[in-house]
Amino acid sequence: MGEGKVLFVTGASSDVGKELIERVGKNYDIIWAHYHSSRAVIDGLREGIGDVIVPIQADLGDVDSTSSMIKNIMESGDPPDHIVHLSAPKAHSLQFHKHTWEDYQKEIDISLRSITMILQAFIPKMAKKKYGKVVFMLTAYLLGVPPKFQSPYITVKYALLGLMKNIAAEYASKGITANAVSPDMIETKFLSGLPDLIKEQSAKNNPLGRNLYVEEVAPTIEYLLSSATDVVTGENIGVTGGVR
């Protein structure tokens, strides 16, 4: 991989995070594996991969907790060359007029504010080295007409898309790439807040006749972290099974 020996994954205890780290663990000297409450998942990764996995806890919905996490990584002397942002609140289905501003604020804090703080801390170090890679997890809902009843989630994903595009434009001359992966619905615990009918309809609408699996999505993130994409930046790659 050349450079890029330190990886930081937000939401590392998610199904996608676990799959990704299992795939790329051998490529890194250190993997900062962020979790909120699922420490057991991170410990399981350590058992399989070794001490390369460094658990780091934070509530990304809390600004002080997020700041403390960033400070701990910075003071370690091992800031990341690669950052993958997976963290997001669990999906819920609700009509637009029934959402409160708190629903939007929760999405903003966990998904948008956290990665903004993280990147503002670590991108200057990447720029000084003239090397870095940032990958955002977005959604295939950005690739066509979005579904109903997902307003806060989709609104913030569009904001993240804008952030990714801006970073790509601003830091290309510094050797930093920023890209995104936009998968269709994946069978993960993230969907536990959605009605079964929505998940079943999504599977029915996909040409595959099912929802995606994490092992079908993680390879695209792995690709964007590889040297094969050193000159790929500002791209939002759909992983959809052909549905959009």
Side-chain angles (χ1 to χ4, degrees), residues 4-10 12 17 20-34 42 45-46 49-56 73 78 80 82 225:
K5 294 299 185 182
V6 180
L7 170 66
F8 177 27
V9 181
T10 71
L20 174 66
I21 290 171
E22 287 174 345
R23 295 182 67 92
V24 305
K26 64 183 181 300
N27 298 334
Y28 292 95
D29 296 327
I30 296 173
I31 298 178
W32 294 103
H34 159 261
I42 307 303
L45 287 168
R46 281 172 61 85
I49 298 172
D51 292 342
V52 65
I53 307 296
V54 181
I56 189 157
I73 295 174
D78 294 305
H82 293 176
L225 294 173

Side-chain angles (χ1 to χ4, degrees), residues 10-122:
T10 71
S13 62
S14 66
D15 294 331
V16 175
K18 181 175 180 291
E19 176 70 21
L20 174 66
I21 290 171
E22 287 174 345
R23 295 182 67 92
V24 305
K26 64 183 181 300
N27 298 334
Y28 292 95
D29 296 327
I30 296 173
I31 298 178
W32 294 103
H34 159 261
Y35 69 98
H36 179 206
S37 56
S38 301
R39 173 63 186 258
V41 175
I42 307 303
D43 288 341
L45 287 168
R46 281 172 61 85
E47 289 178 9
I49 298 172
D51 292 342
V52 65
I53 307 296
V54 181
I56 189 157
Q57 192 278 335
D59 176 1
L60 297 187
D62 181 86
V63 68
D64 291 334
S65 182
T66 305
S67 295
S68 178
M69 174 187 68
I70 293 168
K71 181 181 178 182
N72 288 338
I73 295 174
M74 196 71 79
E75 291 181 347
S76 75
D78 294 305
D81 309 284
H82 293 176
I83 297 173
V84 177
H85 183 45
L86 303 176
S87 290
K90 281 188 177 181
H92 292 89
S93 180
L94 196 65
Q95 289 176 295
F96 167 74
H97 70 277
K98 294 182 179 179
H99 278 292
T100 65
W101 176 250
E102 285 72 22
D103 296 329
Y104 287 87
Q105 192 66 59
K106 183 177 181 180
E107 289 279 354
I108 290 167
D109 291 347
I110 294 175
S111 294
L112 180 59
R113 184 182 65 192
S114 65
I115 190 60
T116 301
M117 292 172 65
I118 289 164
L119 292 175
Q120 286 181 331
F122 296 124

Side-chain angles (χ1 to χ4, degrees), residues 221-243:
I221 304 174
E222 181 182 13
Y223 168 67
L224 290 171
L225 294 173
S226 75
S227 59
T229 58
D230 284 350
V231 294
V232 176
T233 194
E235 298 298 327
N236 180 26
I237 301 176
V239 182
T240 68
V243 72

Side-chain angles (χ1 to χ4, degrees), residues 120-214:
Q120 286 181 331
F122 296 124
I123 270 188
K125 293 188 174 293
M126 293 180 183
K128 189 174 181 180
K129 292 173 62 176
K130 290 192 174 294
Y131 178 79
K133 291 180 181 287
V134 182
V135 183
F136 293 78
M137 172 67 85
L138 300 182
T139 172
Y141 295 165
L142 305 184
L143 304 177
V145 178
K148 298 181 286 186
F149 312 138
Q150 298 283 321
S151 181
Y153 176 75
I154 293 168
T155 298
V156 173
K157 288 297 188 183
Y158 268 106
L160 287 168
L161 176 63
L163 178 62
M164 180 274 285
K165 292 283 189 180
N166 181 258
I167 289 168
E170 189 167 341
Y171 290 96
S173 64
K174 301 296 186 181
I176 298 170
T177 64
N179 295 286
V181 176
S182 282
D184 203 56
M185 189 174 285
I186 313 170
E187 291 290 346
T188 69
K189 58 180 178 281
F190 178 78
L191 303 181
S192 62
L194 291 179
D196 289 341
L197 181 61
I198 291 178
K199 292 179 277 189
E200 291 165 5
Q201 189 63 47
S202 173
K204 181 179 178 181
N205 290 340
N206 195 297
L208 299 175
R210 58 172 174 80
N211 293 319
L212 303 181
Y213 303 134
V214 290

